[in-house]
PDB file of all heavy atoms in Angstrom:
ATOM      1  N   SER A 177      13.336  19.416   8.460  1.00  0.00           N
ATOM      2  CA  SER A 177      12.000  18.865   8.714  1.00  0.00           C
ATOM      3  C   SER A 177      11.420  18.307   7.427  1.00  0.00           C
ATOM      4  O   SER A 177      11.817  18.694   6.329  1.00  0.00           O
ATOM      5  CB  SER A 177      11.065  19.934   9.283  1.00  0.00           C
ATOM      6  OG  SER A 177      11.524  20.407  10.532  1.00  0.00           O
ATOM      7  N   ILE A 178      10.452  17.392   7.580  1.00  0.00           N
ATOM      8  CA  ILE A 178       9.744  16.818   6.432  1.00  0.00           C
ATOM      9  C   ILE A 178       8.314  17.345   6.444  1.00  0.00           C
ATOM     10  O   ILE A 178       7.665  17.403   7.500  1.00  0.00           O
ATOM     11  CB  ILE A 178       9.731  15.279   6.497  1.00  0.00           C
ATOM     12  CG1 ILE A 178      11.165  14.732   6.463  1.00  0.00           C
ATOM     13  CG2 ILE A 178       8.922  14.700   5.329  1.00  0.00           C
ATOM     14  CD1 ILE A 178      11.234  13.225   6.619  1.00  0.00           C
ATOM     15  N   PHE A 179       7.839  17.712   5.262  1.00  0.00           N
ATOM     16  CA  PHE A 179       6.488  18.221   5.123  1.00  0.00           C
ATOM     17  C   PHE A 179       5.737  17.418   4.065  1.00  0.00           C
ATOM     18  O   PHE A 179       6.331  16.917   3.114  1.00  0.00           O
ATOM     19  CB  PHE A 179       6.505  19.702   4.721  1.00  0.00           C
ATOM     20  CG  PHE A 179       7.114  20.597   5.756  1.00  0.00           C
ATOM     21  CD1 PHE A 179       8.481  20.851   5.754  1.00  0.00           C
ATOM     22  CD2 PHE A 179       6.327  21.162   6.744  1.00  0.00           C
ATOM     23  CE1 PHE A 179       9.053  21.660   6.717  1.00  0.00           C
ATOM     24  CE2 PHE A 179       6.888  21.973   7.716  1.00  0.00           C
ATOM     25  CZ  PHE A 179       8.260  22.225   7.700  1.00  0.00           C
ATOM     26  N   ARG A 180       4.432  17.336   4.284  1.00  0.00           N
ATOM     27  CA  ARG A 180       3.541  16.716   3.305  1.00  0.00           C
ATOM     28  C   ARG A 180       2.605  17.804   2.781  1.00  0.00           C
ATOM     29  O   ARG A 180       2.054  18.580   3.574  1.00  0.00           O
ATOM     30  CB  ARG A 180       2.737  15.609   3.974  1.00  0.00           C
ATOM     31  CG  ARG A 180       1.815  14.818   3.064  1.00  0.00           C
ATOM     32  CD  ARG A 180       1.066  13.782   3.895  1.00  0.00           C
ATOM     33  NE  ARG A 180       0.596  12.653   3.102  1.00  0.00           N
ATOM     34  CZ  ARG A 180       0.167  11.510   3.628  1.00  0.00           C
ATOM     35  NH1 ARG A 180       0.169  11.340   4.940  1.00  0.00           N
ATOM     36  NH2 ARG A 180      -0.230  10.521   2.857  1.00  0.00           N
ATOM     37  N   ALA A 181       2.443  17.852   1.463  1.00  0.00           N
ATOM     38  CA  ALA A 181       1.548  18.831   0.854  1.00  0.00           C
ATOM     39  C   ALA A 181       0.455  18.096   0.092  1.00  0.00           C
ATOM     40  O   ALA A 181       0.742  17.273  -0.775  1.00  0.00           O
ATOM     41  CB  ALA A 181       2.325  19.746  -0.082  1.00  0.00           C
ATOM     42  N   ARG A 182      -0.778  18.391   0.422  1.00  0.00           N
ATOM     43  CA  ARG A 182      -1.928  17.856  -0.302  1.00  0.00           C
ATOM     44  C   ARG A 182      -2.553  18.969  -1.148  1.00  0.00           C
ATOM     45  O   ARG A 182      -2.345  20.141  -0.903  1.00  0.00           O
ATOM     46  CB  ARG A 182      -2.964  17.288   0.668  1.00  0.00           C
ATOM     47  CG  ARG A 182      -2.493  16.031   1.424  1.00  0.00           C
ATOM     48  CD  ARG A 182      -3.646  15.463   2.238  1.00  0.00           C
ATOM     49  NE  ARG A 182      -3.366  14.169   2.812  1.00  0.00           N
ATOM     50  CZ  ARG A 182      -2.903  13.981   4.052  1.00  0.00           C
ATOM     51  NH1 ARG A 182      -2.655  15.021   4.830  1.00  0.00           N
ATOM     52  NH2 ARG A 182      -2.701  12.756   4.515  1.00  0.00           N
ATOM     53  N   ARG A 183      -3.337  18.565  -2.144  1.00  0.00           N
ATOM     54  CA  ARG A 183      -4.006  19.502  -3.049  1.00  0.00           C
ATOM     55  C   ARG A 183      -2.990  20.430  -3.735  1.00  0.00           C
ATOM     56  O   ARG A 183      -3.221  21.635  -3.887  1.00  0.00           O
ATOM     57  CB  ARG A 183      -5.078  20.311  -2.306  1.00  0.00           C
ATOM     58  CG  ARG A 183      -6.169  19.446  -1.662  1.00  0.00           C
ATOM     59  CD  ARG A 183      -7.268  20.280  -1.017  1.00  0.00           C
ATOM     60  NE  ARG A 183      -8.043  20.997  -2.026  1.00  0.00           N
ATOM     61  CZ  ARG A 183      -8.055  22.324  -2.133  1.00  0.00           C
ATOM     62  NH1 ARG A 183      -7.331  23.066  -1.316  1.00  0.00           N
ATOM     63  NH2 ARG A 183      -8.791  22.907  -3.056  1.00  0.00           N
ATOM     64  N   VAL A 184      -1.891  19.858  -4.160  1.00  0.00           N
ATOM     65  CA  VAL A 184      -0.832  20.631  -4.806  1.00  0.00           C
ATOM     66  C   VAL A 184      -1.339  21.294  -6.078  1.00  0.00           C
ATOM     67  O   VAL A 184      -1.006  22.453  -6.377  1.00  0.00           O
ATOM     68  CB  VAL A 184       0.369  19.718  -5.122  1.00  0.00           C
ATOM     69  CG1 VAL A 184       1.445  20.476  -5.892  1.00  0.00           C
ATOM     70  CG2 VAL A 184       0.946  19.137  -3.833  1.00  0.00           C
ATOM     71  N   LEU A 185      -2.163  20.590  -6.832  1.00  0.00           N
ATOM     72  CA  LEU A 185      -2.616  21.101  -8.126  1.00  0.00           C
ATOM     73  C   LEU A 185      -3.661  22.204  -7.984  1.00  0.00           C
ATOM     74  O   LEU A 185      -3.996  22.870  -8.967  1.00  0.00           O
ATOM     75  CB  LEU A 185      -3.172  19.967  -8.985  1.00  0.00           C
ATOM     76  CG  LEU A 185      -2.182  18.849  -9.314  1.00  0.00           C
ATOM     77  CD1 LEU A 185      -2.851  17.774 -10.148  1.00  0.00           C
ATOM     78  CD2 LEU A 185      -0.971  19.400 -10.052  1.00  0.00           C
ATOM     79  N   SER A 186      -4.158  22.424  -6.793  1.00  0.00           N
ATOM     80  CA  SER A 186      -5.181  23.446  -6.586  1.00  0.00           C
ATOM     81  C   SER A 186      -4.611  24.852  -6.614  1.00  0.00           C
ATOM     82  O   SER A 186      -5.356  25.826  -6.779  1.00  0.00           O
ATOM     83  CB  SER A 186      -5.880  23.223  -5.239  1.00  0.00           C
ATOM     84  OG  SER A 186      -5.012  23.571  -4.167  1.00  0.00           O
ATOM     85  N   GLY A 187      -3.309  24.976  -6.407  1.00  0.00           N
ATOM     86  CA  GLY A 187      -2.700  26.287  -6.271  1.00  0.00           C
ATOM     87  C   GLY A 187      -2.739  26.813  -4.853  1.00  0.00           C
ATOM     88  O   GLY A 187      -2.157  27.852  -4.551  1.00  0.00           O
ATOM     89  N   ALA A 188      -3.444  26.113  -3.965  1.00  0.00           N
ATOM     90  CA  ALA A 188      -3.498  26.479  -2.546  1.00  0.00           C
ATOM     91  C   ALA A 188      -3.232  25.218  -1.728  1.00  0.00           C
ATOM     92  O   ALA A 188      -4.121  24.698  -1.049  1.00  0.00           O
ATOM     93  CB  ALA A 188      -4.854  27.085  -2.198  1.00  0.00           C
ATOM     94  N   PRO A 189      -2.020  24.694  -1.795  1.00  0.00           N
ATOM     95  CA  PRO A 189      -1.727  23.411  -1.158  1.00  0.00           C
ATOM     96  C   PRO A 189      -1.843  23.473   0.361  1.00  0.00           C
ATOM     97  O   PRO A 189      -1.612  24.517   0.977  1.00  0.00           O
ATOM     98  CB  PRO A 189      -0.279  23.133  -1.587  1.00  0.00           C
ATOM     99  CG  PRO A 189       0.299  24.468  -1.900  1.00  0.00           C
ATOM    100  CD  PRO A 189      -0.842  25.276  -2.454  1.00  0.00           C
ATOM    101  N   GLU A 190      -2.217  22.329   0.922  1.00  0.00           N
ATOM    102  CA  GLU A 190      -2.307  22.191   2.373  1.00  0.00           C
ATOM    103  C   GLU A 190      -1.020  21.535   2.853  1.00  0.00           C
ATOM    104  O   GLU A 190      -0.773  20.359   2.588  1.00  0.00           O
ATOM    105  CB  GLU A 190      -3.523  21.343   2.737  1.00  0.00           C
ATOM    106  CG  GLU A 190      -4.838  21.935   2.247  1.00  0.00           C
ATOM    107  CD  GLU A 190      -5.995  20.962   2.319  1.00  0.00           C
ATOM    108  OE1 GLU A 190      -5.759  19.781   2.687  1.00  0.00           O
ATOM    109  OE2 GLU A 190      -7.126  21.360   2.005  1.00  0.00           O
ATOM    110  N   VAL A 191      -0.177  22.291   3.529  1.00  0.00           N
ATOM    111  CA  VAL A 191       1.157  21.842   3.925  1.00  0.00           C
ATOM    112  C   VAL A 191       1.185  21.632   5.433  1.00  0.00           C
ATOM    113  O   VAL A 191       0.767  22.501   6.201  1.00  0.00           O
ATOM    114  CB  VAL A 191       2.232  22.872   3.511  1.00  0.00           C
ATOM    115  CG1 VAL A 191       3.624  22.369   3.874  1.00  0.00           C
ATOM    116  CG2 VAL A 191       2.144  23.171   2.020  1.00  0.00           C
ATOM    117  N   GLU A 192       1.696  20.490   5.849  1.00  0.00           N
ATOM    118  CA  GLU A 192       1.798  20.210   7.277  1.00  0.00           C
ATOM    119  C   GLU A 192       3.019  19.334   7.534  1.00  0.00           C
ATOM    120  O   GLU A 192       3.490  18.619   6.641  1.00  0.00           O
ATOM    121  CB  GLU A 192       0.538  19.503   7.774  1.00  0.00           C
ATOM    122  CG  GLU A 192       0.254  18.176   7.086  1.00  0.00           C
ATOM    123  CD  GLU A 192      -1.075  17.571   7.507  1.00  0.00           C
ATOM    124  OE1 GLU A 192      -1.818  18.241   8.240  1.00  0.00           O
ATOM    125  OE2 GLU A 192      -1.348  16.420   7.106  1.00  0.00           O
ATOM    126  N   PRO A 193       3.563  19.391   8.740  1.00  0.00           N
ATOM    127  CA  PRO A 193       4.686  18.499   9.071  1.00  0.00           C
ATOM    128  C   PRO A 193       4.267  17.041   8.907  1.00  0.00           C
ATOM    129  O   PRO A 193       3.115  16.682   9.156  1.00  0.00           O
ATOM    130  CB  PRO A 193       4.985  18.831  10.539  1.00  0.00           C
ATOM    131  CG  PRO A 193       4.439  20.208  10.735  1.00  0.00           C
ATOM    132  CD  PRO A 193       3.222  20.298   9.850  1.00  0.00           C
ATOM    133  N   PHE A 194       5.221  16.231   8.490  1.00  0.00           N
ATOM    134  CA  PHE A 194       4.932  14.822   8.232  1.00  0.00           C
ATOM    135  C   PHE A 194       5.879  13.953   9.045  1.00  0.00           C
ATOM    136  O   PHE A 194       7.093  14.165   9.059  1.00  0.00           O
ATOM    137  CB  PHE A 194       5.113  14.513   6.745  1.00  0.00           C
ATOM    138  CG  PHE A 194       4.956  13.057   6.403  1.00  0.00           C
ATOM    139  CD1 PHE A 194       3.702  12.454   6.420  1.00  0.00           C
ATOM    140  CD2 PHE A 194       6.067  12.279   6.087  1.00  0.00           C
ATOM    141  CE1 PHE A 194       3.557  11.111   6.107  1.00  0.00           C
ATOM    142  CE2 PHE A 194       5.929  10.931   5.773  1.00  0.00           C
ATOM    143  CZ  PHE A 194       4.672  10.342   5.786  1.00  0.00           C
ATOM    144  N   THR A 195       5.305  12.962   9.711  1.00  0.00           N
ATOM    145  CA  THR A 195       6.088  11.973  10.436  1.00  0.00           C
ATOM    146  C   THR A 195       6.056  10.666   9.659  1.00  0.00           C
ATOM    147  O   THR A 195       4.988  10.050   9.516  1.00  0.00           O
ATOM    148  CB  THR A 195       5.524  11.745  11.854  1.00  0.00           C
ATOM    149  OG1 THR A 195       5.539  12.982  12.572  1.00  0.00           O
ATOM    150  CG2 THR A 195       6.371  10.718  12.600  1.00  0.00           C
ATOM    151  N   PRO A 196       7.182  10.218   9.126  1.00  0.00           N
ATOM    152  CA  PRO A 196       7.202   8.963   8.356  1.00  0.00           C
ATOM    153  C   PRO A 196       6.765   7.786   9.214  1.00  0.00           C
ATOM    154  O   PRO A 196       6.924   7.791  10.442  1.00  0.00           O
ATOM    155  CB  PRO A 196       8.671   8.838   7.936  1.00  0.00           C
ATOM    156  CG  PRO A 196       9.196  10.238   7.985  1.00  0.00           C
ATOM    157  CD  PRO A 196       8.491  10.893   9.130  1.00  0.00           C
ATOM    158  N   GLU A 197       6.231   6.774   8.544  1.00  0.00           N
ATOM    159  CA  GLU A 197       5.734   5.584   9.222  1.00  0.00           C
ATOM    160  C   GLU A 197       6.342   4.340   8.582  1.00  0.00           C
ATOM    161  O   GLU A 197       5.663   3.595   7.862  1.00  0.00           O
ATOM    162  CB  GLU A 197       4.207   5.539   9.137  1.00  0.00           C
ATOM    163  CG  GLU A 197       3.519   6.767   9.726  1.00  0.00           C
ATOM    164  CD  GLU A 197       2.024   6.780   9.475  1.00  0.00           C
ATOM    165  OE1 GLU A 197       1.556   5.932   8.698  1.00  0.00           O
ATOM    166  OE2 GLU A 197       1.336   7.639  10.053  1.00  0.00           O
ATOM    167  N   PRO A 198       7.634   4.091   8.811  1.00  0.00           N
ATOM    168  CA  PRO A 198       8.265   2.925   8.171  1.00  0.00           C
ATOM    169  C   PRO A 198       7.556   1.625   8.534  1.00  0.00           C
ATOM    170  O   PRO A 198       7.080   1.444   9.661  1.00  0.00           O
ATOM    171  CB  PRO A 198       9.688   2.951   8.739  1.00  0.00           C
ATOM    172  CG  PRO A 198       9.902   4.363   9.187  1.00  0.00           C
ATOM    173  CD  PRO A 198       8.563   4.840   9.658  1.00  0.00           C
ATOM    174  N   MET A 199       7.496   0.724   7.576  1.00  0.00           N
ATOM    175  CA  MET A 199       6.854  -0.564   7.793  1.00  0.00           C
ATOM    176  C   MET A 199       7.716  -1.447   8.693  1.00  0.00           C
ATOM    177  O   MET A 199       8.940  -1.472   8.570  1.00  0.00           O
ATOM    178  CB  MET A 199       6.624  -1.258   6.443  1.00  0.00           C
ATOM    179  CG  MET A 199       5.986  -2.624   6.536  1.00  0.00           C
ATOM    180  SD  MET A 199       5.660  -3.352   4.906  1.00  0.00           S
ATOM    181  CE  MET A 199       4.162  -2.495   4.456  1.00  0.00           C
ATOM    182  N   ARG A 200       7.082  -2.164   9.570  1.00  0.00           N
ATOM    183  CA  ARG A 200       7.791  -3.166  10.367  1.00  0.00           C
ATOM    184  C   ARG A 200       8.030  -4.403   9.513  1.00  0.00           C
ATOM    185  O   ARG A 200       7.206  -4.757   8.667  1.00  0.00           O
ATOM    186  CB  ARG A 200       6.971  -3.551  11.604  1.00  0.00           C
ATOM    187  CG  ARG A 200       6.858  -2.449  12.644  1.00  0.00           C
ATOM    188  CD  ARG A 200       6.033  -2.920  13.832  1.00  0.00           C
ATOM    189  NE  ARG A 200       5.945  -1.906  14.860  1.00  0.00           N
ATOM    190  CZ  ARG A 200       6.833  -1.755  15.835  1.00  0.00           C
ATOM    191  NH1 ARG A 200       7.875  -2.568  15.901  1.00  0.00           N
ATOM    192  NH2 ARG A 200       6.678  -0.818  16.741  1.00  0.00           N
ATOM    193  N   TYR A 201       9.124  -5.067   9.767  1.00  0.00           N
ATOM    194  CA  TYR A 201       9.435  -6.247   8.961  1.00  0.00           C
ATOM    195  C   TYR A 201       8.571  -7.439   9.365  1.00  0.00           C
ATOM    196  O   TYR A 201       8.417  -7.763  10.539  1.00  0.00           O
ATOM    197  CB  TYR A 201      10.904  -6.646   9.087  1.00  0.00           C
ATOM    198  CG  TYR A 201      11.188  -7.878   8.244  1.00  0.00           C
ATOM    199  CD1 TYR A 201      11.399  -7.759   6.884  1.00  0.00           C
ATOM    200  CD2 TYR A 201      11.169  -9.159   8.814  1.00  0.00           C
ATOM    201  CE1 TYR A 201      11.602  -8.876   6.087  1.00  0.00           C
ATOM    202  CE2 TYR A 201      11.372 -10.279   8.028  1.00  0.00           C
ATOM    203  CZ  TYR A 201      11.588 -10.132   6.675  1.00  0.00           C
ATOM    204  OH  TYR A 201      11.773 -11.233   5.876  1.00  0.00           O
ATOM    205  N   THR A 202       7.994  -8.083   8.363  1.00  0.00           N
ATOM    206  CA  THR A 202       7.404  -9.413   8.487  1.00  0.00           C
ATOM    207  C   THR A 202       7.725 -10.134   7.180  1.00  0.00           C
ATOM    208  O   THR A 202       8.084  -9.496   6.180  1.00  0.00           O
ATOM    209  CB  THR A 202       5.865  -9.373   8.661  1.00  0.00           C
ATOM    210  OG1 THR A 202       5.267  -8.974   7.424  1.00  0.00           O
ATOM    211  CG2 THR A 202       5.455  -8.413   9.770  1.00  0.00           C
ATOM    212  N   PRO A 203       7.615 -11.453   7.131  1.00  0.00           N
ATOM    213  CA  PRO A 203       7.865 -12.160   5.861  1.00  0.00           C
ATOM    214  C   PRO A 203       6.909 -11.756   4.744  1.00  0.00           C
ATOM    215  O   PRO A 203       7.181 -12.040   3.582  1.00  0.00           O
ATOM    216  CB  PRO A 203       7.665 -13.634   6.249  1.00  0.00           C
ATOM    217  CG  PRO A 203       7.962 -13.681   7.712  1.00  0.00           C
ATOM    218  CD  PRO A 203       7.442 -12.381   8.259  1.00  0.00           C
ATOM    219  N   ALA A 204       5.823 -11.072   5.095  1.00  0.00           N
ATOM    220  CA  ALA A 204       4.876 -10.622   4.078  1.00  0.00           C
ATOM    221  C   ALA A 204       5.135  -9.186   3.631  1.00  0.00           C
ATOM    222  O   ALA A 204       4.467  -8.694   2.718  1.00  0.00           O
ATOM    223  CB  ALA A 204       3.453 -10.729   4.610  1.00  0.00           C
ATOM    224  N   ALA A 205       6.097  -8.512   4.261  1.00  0.00           N
ATOM    225  CA  ALA A 205       6.354  -7.108   3.937  1.00  0.00           C
ATOM    226  C   ALA A 205       6.950  -6.981   2.534  1.00  0.00           C
ATOM    227  O   ALA A 205       7.960  -7.614   2.231  1.00  0.00           O
ATOM    228  CB  ALA A 205       7.309  -6.508   4.965  1.00  0.00           C
ATOM    229  N   PRO A 206       6.353  -6.191   1.649  1.00  0.00           N
ATOM    230  CA  PRO A 206       6.847  -6.100   0.272  1.00  0.00           C
ATOM    231  C   PRO A 206       8.215  -5.432   0.189  1.00  0.00           C
ATOM    232  O   PRO A 206       8.534  -4.513   0.950  1.00  0.00           O
ATOM    233  CB  PRO A 206       5.788  -5.255  -0.433  1.00  0.00           C
ATOM    234  CG  PRO A 206       4.595  -5.259   0.459  1.00  0.00           C
ATOM    235  CD  PRO A 206       5.120  -5.402   1.844  1.00  0.00           C
ATOM    236  N   VAL A 207       9.001  -5.878  -0.770  1.00  0.00           N
ATOM    237  CA  VAL A 207      10.302  -5.286  -1.090  1.00  0.00           C
ATOM    238  C   VAL A 207      10.307  -4.969  -2.588  1.00  0.00           C
ATOM    239  O   VAL A 207       9.853  -5.779  -3.401  1.00  0.00           O
ATOM    240  CB  VAL A 207      11.465  -6.242  -0.750  1.00  0.00           C
ATOM    241  CG1 VAL A 207      12.800  -5.670  -1.221  1.00  0.00           C
ATOM    242  CG2 VAL A 207      11.494  -6.509   0.753  1.00  0.00           C
ATOM    243  N   CYS A 208      10.795  -3.801  -2.945  1.00  0.00           N
ATOM    244  CA  CYS A 208      10.898  -3.400  -4.351  1.00  0.00           C
ATOM    245  C   CYS A 208      12.321  -3.617  -4.834  1.00  0.00           C
ATOM    246  O   CYS A 208      13.279  -3.543  -4.055  1.00  0.00           O
ATOM    247  CB  CYS A 208      10.505  -1.943  -4.524  1.00  0.00           C
ATOM    248  SG  CYS A 208       8.787  -1.588  -4.101  1.00  0.00           S
ATOM    249  N   ALA A 209      12.472  -3.855  -6.130  1.00  0.00           N
ATOM    250  CA  ALA A 209      13.797  -4.147  -6.670  1.00  0.00           C
ATOM    251  C   ALA A 209      14.002  -3.465  -8.012  1.00  0.00           C
ATOM    252  O   ALA A 209      13.053  -3.268  -8.783  1.00  0.00           O
ATOM    253  CB  ALA A 209      13.994  -5.652  -6.830  1.00  0.00           C
ATOM    254  N   ALA A 210      15.260  -3.120  -8.277  1.00  0.00           N
ATOM    255  CA  ALA A 210      15.641  -2.621  -9.589  1.00  0.00           C
ATOM    256  C   ALA A 210      15.475  -3.735 -10.625  1.00  0.00           C
ATOM    257  O   ALA A 210      15.548  -4.926 -10.307  1.00  0.00           O
ATOM    258  CB  ALA A 210      17.090  -2.136  -9.556  1.00  0.00           C
ATOM    259  N   GLN A 211      15.273  -3.323 -11.872  1.00  0.00           N
ATOM    260  CA  GLN A 211      15.020  -4.283 -12.947  1.00  0.00           C
ATOM    261  C   GLN A 211      16.102  -5.361 -13.033  1.00  0.00           C
ATOM    262  O   GLN A 211      15.808  -6.562 -13.082  1.00  0.00           O
ATOM    263  CB  GLN A 211      14.937  -3.538 -14.284  1.00  0.00           C
ATOM    264  CG  GLN A 211      13.671  -2.748 -14.484  1.00  0.00           C
ATOM    265  CD  GLN A 211      12.515  -3.615 -14.952  1.00  0.00           C
ATOM    266  OE1 GLN A 211      12.704  -4.698 -15.498  1.00  0.00           O
ATOM    267  NE2 GLN A 211      11.313  -3.131 -14.733  1.00  0.00           N
ATOM    268  N   ASN A 212      17.367  -4.955 -13.083  1.00  0.00           N
ATOM    269  CA  ASN A 212      18.448  -5.930 -13.291  1.00  0.00           C
ATOM    270  C   ASN A 212      18.574  -6.903 -12.127  1.00  0.00           C
ATOM    271  O   ASN A 212      18.890  -8.078 -12.326  1.00  0.00           O
ATOM    272  CB  ASN A 212      19.778  -5.218 -13.527  1.00  0.00           C
ATOM    273  CG  ASN A 212      19.840  -4.564 -14.898  1.00  0.00           C
ATOM    274  OD1 ASN A 212      19.065  -4.906 -15.787  1.00  0.00           O
ATOM    275  ND2 ASN A 212      20.742  -3.618 -15.068  1.00  0.00           N
ATOM    276  N   ALA A 213      18.321  -6.414 -10.909  1.00  0.00           N
ATOM    277  CA  ALA A 213      18.371  -7.308  -9.755  1.00  0.00           C
ATOM    278  C   ALA A 213      17.255  -8.335  -9.836  1.00  0.00           C
ATOM    279  O   ALA A 213      17.454  -9.530  -9.591  1.00  0.00           O
ATOM    280  CB  ALA A 213      18.266  -6.500  -8.471  1.00  0.00           C
ATOM    281  N   ALA A 214      16.056  -7.879 -10.183  1.00  0.00           N
ATOM    282  CA  ALA A 214      14.923  -8.797 -10.265  1.00  0.00           C
ATOM    283  C   ALA A 214      15.114  -9.834 -11.363  1.00  0.00           C
ATOM    284  O   ALA A 214      14.686 -10.986 -11.232  1.00  0.00           O
ATOM    285  CB  ALA A 214      13.638  -8.012 -10.505  1.00  0.00           C
ATOM    286  N   ARG A 215      15.781  -9.444 -12.439  1.00  0.00           N
ATOM    287  CA  ARG A 215      15.948 -10.348 -13.568  1.00  0.00           C
ATOM    288  C   ARG A 215      17.100 -11.332 -13.393  1.00  0.00           C
ATOM    289  O   ARG A 215      17.026 -12.468 -13.861  1.00  0.00           O
ATOM    290  CB  ARG A 215      16.204  -9.531 -14.840  1.00  0.00           C
ATOM    291  CG  ARG A 215      14.995  -8.758 -15.331  1.00  0.00           C
ATOM    292  CD  ARG A 215      15.361  -7.891 -16.519  1.00  0.00           C
ATOM    293  NE  ARG A 215      14.190  -7.210 -17.071  1.00  0.00           N
ATOM    294  CZ  ARG A 215      14.245  -6.338 -18.059  1.00  0.00           C
ATOM    295  NH1 ARG A 215      15.412  -6.036 -18.607  1.00  0.00           N
ATOM    296  NH2 ARG A 215      13.141  -5.768 -18.508  1.00  0.00           N
TER     297      ARG A 215
END
């Protein structure tokens, strides 16, 4: 399972199950690249 924890630095984190929300593809959808690939 995947969990998301908020307020980690408080020492009393709020932990709950997390459902990922992948982005749908559009021509405006950002893509990240490694340095050498971008260069």
Side-chain angles (χ1 to χ4, degrees):
S177 297
I178 299 176
F179 296 89
R180 183 181 203 166
R182 293 186 171 95
R183 301 184 68 246
V184 176
L185 299 179
S186 72
E190 300 167 356
V191 182
E192 60 186 6
F194 175 72
T195 301
E197 302 173 351
M199 179 177 281
R200 291 180 178 272
Y201 180 81
T202 71
V207 174
C208 297
Q211 286 279 339
N212 287 342
R215 290 175 176 176

